[in-house]
Amino acid sequence: MNRLLLNSLRSGGYILYTRHGEATVGIDQPNLNFQYCVTQRNLSDTGRRQAVYYGEILRSLQVPISYPVIASPFCRTIETAQLAFGWQNVQVNPFWFETYRLKENLSNAEQTRILDTLKSILEIQPPQGSNKVIIAHSFREEIGLGLISNMGTVIIRPRGHGKGYEIISKLSLLD
């Protein structure tokens, strides 16, 4: 990460949209139930280590985070957020399941509805001097925030309600 970007993050005002850690244990089953992790793809040991490391990196770089961290309702996203930021600092938002659904063959109207809601969320500026973290999912290449690697982060500058947002950078855990 370059020094200019790091200094900007330390000043706050960004959204760090992060994909969950490596999840290679199990599959997302047709009867998927958010209350039962056995019906979902879950974090591997590598994914758990990635999540812990992610939290350690942000703390060591002194990047201020606004709590709670937001997570999709999947076990893999909640666990990622809890390992990185502590269980007491995580809030589940069911909307992020909607972005996961963008991988499906949705009607144009449904896809537009989800993307419009995504845009309105990413326009909201975090509290002064802090950054908002969202732990959720990758997108298809041509929509939303595009493809995101395991624990990859899209750094977003919200412009305010109705004014859109700007993608500042995409980083992987290895950067």
Side-chain angles (χ1 to χ4, degrees):
M1 180 181 319
N2 71 47
R3 178 139 326 277
L4 182 61
L5 178 56
L6 178 56
N7 287 337
S8 294
L9 288 174
R10 285 177 175 159
S11 296
Y14 296 89
I15 296 173
L16 282 62
Y17 180 96
T18 305
R19 182 181 179 192
H20 56 79
E22 178 187 274
T24 56
V25 177
I27 60 169
D28 291 334
Q29 298 177 10
N31 64 335
L32 187 141
N33 182 324
F34 293 127
Q35 303 303 313
Y36 299 102
C37 295
V38 295
T39 67
Q40 306 170 39
R41 192 163 46 94
N42 293 289
L43 292 183
S44 63
D45 288 340
T46 297
R48 288 185 186 93
R49 284 191 300 274
Q50 290 171 334
V52 169
Y53 183 58
Y54 183 75
E56 289 173 350
I57 288 172
L58 290 177
R59 284 186 290 280
S60 72
L61 293 175
Q62 300 176 337
V63 174
I65 303 300
S66 145
Y67 293 105
V69 167
I70 304 302
S72 163
F74 283 81
C75 293
R76 60 185 173 263
T77 54
I78 295 169
E79 186 177 12
T80 296
Q82 290 174 339
L83 288 169
F85 301 102
W87 67 268
Q88 71 281 8
N89 293 319
V90 177
Q91 179 180 351
V92 173
N93 183 331
F95 167 73
W96 298 106
F97 171 66
E98 298 292 310
T99 62
Y100 170 85
R101 291 182 55 233
L102 288 170
K103 296 175 185 168
E104 301 171 8
N105 190 15
L106 302 175
S107 70
N108 285 341
E110 183 69 356
Q111 181 172 313
T112 298
R113 181 191 66 77
I114 295 168
L115 291 172
D116 286 349
T117 303
L118 173 68
K119 179 177 177 274
S120 70
I121 290 171
L122 297 180
E123 291 175 337
I124 300 170
Q125 296 169 323
Q128 180 95 18
S130 69
N131 301 287
K132 189 73 182 165
V133 175
I134 299 168
I135 308 285
H137 310 278
S138 183
F139 296 82
R140 289 196 326 245
E141 188 170 353
E142 68 280 3
I143 62 170
L145 300 174
L147 294 176
I148 305 169
S149 62
N150 293 329
M151 292 307 306
T153 299
V154 180
I155 300 173
I156 299 161
R157 177 183 299 140
R159 293 187 176 143
H161 181 69
K163 298 178 184 172
Y165 61 89
E166 177 185 0
I167 294 176
I168 301 301
S169 186
K170 282 190 171 186
L171 303 173
S172 78
L173 197 56
L174 303 176
D175 289 339

